[in-house]
DNA sequence: GTGGGTGCAAAACCTTTGCATCTGC
DNA sequence: GCAGATGCAAAGGTTTTGCACCCAC
């Protein structure tokens, strides 16, 4: 090692310790400021970029055009809450059989997917 | 009317006449140049923006951070071909029952979705 | 000294807006 | 003349890069 990757460590700490699971660069910066870790966008960018290259973090691009990052955990899909705007992780319910039908009918080969639902999260849902 | 919306018409013509079904602003500009319709990005942008407001065209944001537009036709999902990079429309195979299970298990309410598959399109698939 | 990590500034990229101009009624 | 469409230029927002500096070994 040359110099301790303070920012990378702080970012991983944030991602592992917060309820939020999808972070923009701005989210990181704001949270780091709160933790009194002043960091430049470029440093955050490069730290996250490295984590992505190491497959520790995964890149997401959604409908607001801002890049988000989440921990590379087990596959899951997402719900964008139309009320509070949050991005929530939801378990994946797609089955290989679903793809098999599509592959047969459309002549394609499916190797992965990302499903983004829109609707209401648990908190915004009226009981 | 005040002035004929040349660009809007040209854009609709392109979208209805080409195999490509998801267009970036740059795609529009390049195609218009080929048709000898020189148009500025701002004009294209405003023309498409208007079509979106009229619900003739739908806005898409995918994993490369560029805004794309497609005709507002029946709902479908997409395949991003990992070989040629094209974005292909594929029929939707999700069923209400799938969402019902998710709503019960995750406590959310689903009102819409967008599924992006990755894999090989019909052309890139090795027979 | 060397190899990475960081900060600062600026470039790059794409989208969006302001303003003047032009067209067709 | 008016309303809407277009072109040009420039602003905006975010991501990305260049370069100098700094720290730990």
């Amino acid at each position: 090692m040359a110099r301790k990757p303070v920012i990378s460590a702080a970012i991983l700490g944030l991602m592992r310790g917060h309820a939020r699971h999808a972070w923009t660069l701005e989210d990181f910066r704001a949270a780091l400021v709160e933790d009194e870790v002043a960091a430049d966008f470029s440093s955050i960018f490069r730290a996250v970029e490295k984590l992505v290259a190491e497959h520790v973090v995964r890149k997401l691009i959604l409908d607001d055009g801002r890049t988000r990052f989440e921990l590379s955990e087990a596959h899951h899909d997402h719900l964008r809450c139309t009320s509070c705007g949050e991005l929530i992780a939801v378990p994946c319910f797609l089955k290989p059989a679903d793809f098999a039908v599509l592959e047969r009918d459309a002549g394609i080969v499916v190797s992965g997917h990302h499903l983004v639902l829109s609707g209401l999260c648990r908190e915004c849902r009226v009981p």
Side-chain angles (χ1 to χ4, degrees), chain A:
Chain A
M1 290 285 150
R3 188 175 164 177
K4 288 181 187 171
V6 180
I7 296 182
S8 294
I11 285 175
L12 278 180
L14 284 173
M15 296 184 90
R16 290 181 173 139
H18 278 59
R20 172 193 302 280
H21 99 284
W23 300 70
T24 64
L25 293 177
E26 170 59 29
D27 289 336
F28 284 132
R29 200 195 54 73
L32 289 175
V33 165
E34 281 195 13
D35 290 356
E36 295 179 3
V37 180
D40 190 76
F41 270 105
S42 63
S43 305
I44 297 173
F45 171 77
R46 278 186 274 234
V48 178
E49 185 182 43
K50 187 161 222 208
L51 293 173
V52 170
E54 294 165 352
H55 298 98
V56 178
V57 162
R58 189 187 298 141
K59 199 173 183 174
L60 281 182
I61 297 189
L62 295 159
D63 54 5
D64 62 352
R66 304 175 68 165
T67 308
R68 281 151 206 275
F69 302 91
E70 65 176 9
L71 289 172
S72 295
E73 297 161 334
H75 172 76
H76 57 263
D77 291 312
H78 293 101
L79 170 77
R80 163 59 55 79
C81 180
T82 51
S83 174
C84 66
E86 275 297 300
L87 187 75
I88 318 282
V90 299
C92 176
F93 60 85
L94 297 181
K95 296 174 193 61
D98 296 329
F99 298 127
V101 172
L102 187 65
E103 294 186 358
R104 191 194 60 208
D105 295 349
I108 62 178
V109 180
V110 178
S111 57
H113 74 270
H114 184 211
L115 174 62
V116 182
L117 303 170
S118 49
L120 299 175
C121 68
R122 190 190 294 268
E123 282 69 34
C124 294
R125 176 187 196 175
V126 279

